[in-house]
Amino acid sequence: MSDAAQPTAAEVRAAAEAVKTALDRHLAAVERRSGEDDPAVYEAFNELAAAAEVYDELLYDRYDEVTPFEIPGEDSLPPYTGPEEPNAISVLIRRDYAVAEPQRLLAQAQRIEAADVEAGAGIGAGATGTVHGALGTLFGEFEADEIASRHKEFGLEEGDSTLWVTASDEPADPGEWLEAPFEHVDPQQVVCRFDVSAVFDDDLDEEDDEDEDDIEDMVTTGLAEDDDIEPLDTTDR
């Protein structure tokens, strides 16, 4: 970073003062908390995390120094504030795929198209000649759950996925949200969520590698190479 782009010492000092203020507010919110999932504590936590992040960045840019603090990321939902006895729920699902084998995808879609034409319900010749056309055919033929269980067969590779269950007092009116189905989701009405990501597997692999390294270190450093190991004398004395 150039000198002109660096923050001033006054900006770093102001960021430090902001952290102190946010820290005081967080402590005050904790002291006044009304329950385990008090929204005020959650809000104060986020404010403290944001202030600490700004300070850490400015401190590094100005002085090439970092803080010893690490604020955990927001990896969970905010406190639930929805109805205790919901009369309706919504299930929001997102699954990502990579088109790993386009030719396999096209071949599968063409088989579906050929079967439909033979049955007199064809969707028109050439509709599966493109990847986007093949995807339309595939998802029009199979339920999303079936595609998820057979994705490799269709030339797809799984990415991240998430499922959110939200609660409400009343069911939505027919057609009410169809134009923007995922636009107005209130995180505080999410009853539960389930996430799948390769990043979780990577984290587990790293932990396993660290455990293996620790075991190897114990084996290799427990004794020096020239240490003599005397056999255990089991004879009666």
Side-chain angles (χ1 to χ4, degrees):
M1 177 179 290
S2 66
D3 291 341
Q6 287 184 345
T8 66
E11 289 175 327
V12 179
R13 173 62 61 182
E17 293 300 326
V19 172
K20 297 175 186 178
T21 301
L23 191 60
D24 288 339
R25 290 175 178 171
H26 180 261
L27 177 58
V30 171
E31 291 173 337
R32 297 192 305 264
R33 74 188 316 160
S34 58
E36 183 177 352
D37 295 327
D38 191 332
V41 175
Y42 177 80
E43 182 179 354
F45 173 88
N46 285 338
E47 290 178 356
L48 175 58
E53 183 178 0
V54 171
Y55 172 62
D56 197 70
E57 290 178 357
L58 294 178
L59 186 71
Y60 182 80
D61 291 344
R62 176 69 184 182
Y63 300 109
D64 197 24
E65 188 58 72
V66 296
T67 65
F69 310 114
E70 181 177 354
I71 303 294
E74 185 179 345
D75 56 0
S76 61
L77 291 167
Y80 176 74
T81 60
E84 291 299 323
E85 298 182 5
N87 295 315
I89 64 168
S90 296
V91 180
L92 296 88
I93 301 175
R94 172 172 173 167
R95 296 189 179 111
D96 283 4
Y97 298 95
V99 181
E101 299 180 74
Q103 293 305 316
R104 178 184 290 271
L105 171 66
L106 291 167
Q108 290 284 6
Q110 287 163 3
R111 291 191 188 98
I112 296 170
E113 183 182 56
D116 287 344
V117 170
E118 185 176 346
I123 56 177
T128 58
T130 62
V131 170
H132 73 268
L135 288 169
T137 299
L138 181 68
F139 281 86
E141 180 72 14
F142 299 105
E143 295 288 341
D145 287 342
E146 184 171 2
I147 292 175
S149 64
R150 299 173 58 186
H151 62 278
K152 291 183 179 178
E153 180 183 337
F154 301 130
L156 302 176
E157 183 178 302
E158 281 185 312
D160 290 353
S161 66
T162 188
L163 181 152
W164 293 26
V165 179
T166 66
S168 57
D169 287 314
E170 299 295 338
D173 293 333
E176 179 180 346
W177 48 258
L178 291 179
E179 292 185 0
F182 307 112
E183 190 171 291
H184 301 293
V185 180
D186 184 354
Q188 290 190 295
Q189 290 192 333
V190 175
V191 177
C192 57
R193 63 179 287 181
F194 304 95
D195 300 324
V196 177
S197 174
V199 71
F200 302 143
D201 297 333
D202 293 341
D203 291 342
L204 290 174
D205 291 341
E206 290 176 3
E207 292 176 2
D208 291 342
D209 291 342
E210 291 175 359
D211 291 341
E212 290 175 1
D213 291 341
D214 291 341
I215 294 172
E216 183 177 353
D217 288 343
M218 287 193 298
V219 171
T220 58
T221 64
L223 293 168
E225 292 181 358
D226 57 352
D227 282 347
D228 294 329
I229 306 177
E230 296 183 1
L232 178 66
D233 186 359
T234 59
T235 60
D236 294 335
R237 297 186 180 181

